[in-house]
Amino acid sequence: MLDIIPSTEDMILLVGESLYNIWIKLDALIEEKYDMERLWNKGGKAWKYEYKYRRGGKTLCALYARENCVGFMIILGKDERLKFEADRDTFSQEVQRIYDETQTYHDGKWLMFEPMDTTLFDDFTRLLRIKRKPNRK
């Protein structure tokens, strides 16, 4: 756990205003559909912060922040990969490319996106739906 949760100012200084706006929109998109526990953590070697969405001990996805960059990670397990692969042609080229280039581990594919704008948000929504049905109306 983080001792200090970053303020809005901290985040803007870290990622920049335009990417902070992407972060806020992505958080709102997830928040609108999912009632989740949200946890701030250190982001490991590659990231300064991790902001994880969990429920019942299971992680839905996580947002990451580092200098001039935000990340959106979703892990697709075996069954979820099958669902994605059945529908892959309906996803953008970018999502398909990242899916194909991501190594598969025993617990699934850890898909990391670094959105610069909102163009992939529809795909993100659909990836989240593969992972878990929305639990908000």
Side-chain angles (χ1 to χ4, degrees):
M1 284 299 260
L2 273 186
D3 301 333
I4 301 160
I5 293 172
S7 67
T8 299
E9 291 75 24
D10 294 336
M11 289 294 289
I12 291 171
L13 281 171
L14 182 66
V15 302
E17 196 148 352
S18 66
L19 286 177
Y20 182 66
N21 288 331
I22 299 300
W23 174 287
I24 292 299
K25 287 176 179 157
L26 200 43
D27 178 54
L29 180 122
I30 298 163
E31 186 64 21
E32 182 191 340
K33 307 239 186 273
Y34 296 93
D35 178 20
M36 305 299 267
E37 216 185 314
R38 300 183 327 228
L39 307 166
W40 282 99
N41 283 302
K42 290 189 171 76
K45 288 183 188 135
W47 300 90
K48 182 154 184 177
Y49 299 116
E50 174 190 69
Y51 190 57
K52 199 182 278 186
Y53 298 82
R54 289 178 67 97
R55 181 157 191 156
K58 290 192 169 189
T59 299
L60 174 69
C61 64
L63 300 184
Y64 291 86
R66 66 174 178 235
E67 202 170 325
N68 301 317
C69 191
V70 296
F72 169 74
M73 181 187 276
I74 185 162
I75 300 168
L76 298 182
K78 191 174 180 198
D79 294 344
E80 296 150 351
R81 291 200 326 270
L82 292 173
K83 286 181 193 168
F84 174 86
E85 287 165 13
D87 269 349
R88 71 171 286 137
D89 294 344
T90 65
F91 286 88
S92 67
Q93 291 297 311
E94 175 78 352
V95 169
Q96 291 181 45
R97 180 184 65 75
I98 287 172
Y99 181 87
D100 292 341
E101 290 174 2
T102 298
Q103 186 175 344
T104 304
Y105 295 100
H106 71 283
D107 59 349
K109 273 190 183 272
W110 296 45
L111 303 176
M112 176 60 86
F113 300 91
E114 293 179 4
M116 301 299 284
D117 53 38
T118 60
T119 51
L120 294 178
F121 278 23
D122 285 347
D123 283 350
F124 292 171
T125 302
R126 292 170 53 227
L127 287 169
L128 289 168
R129 206 172 290 133
I130 287 174
K131 185 103 180 136
R132 182 184 193 131
K133 284 188 173 66
N135 59 4
R136 284 187 199 248
K137 292 273 183 265

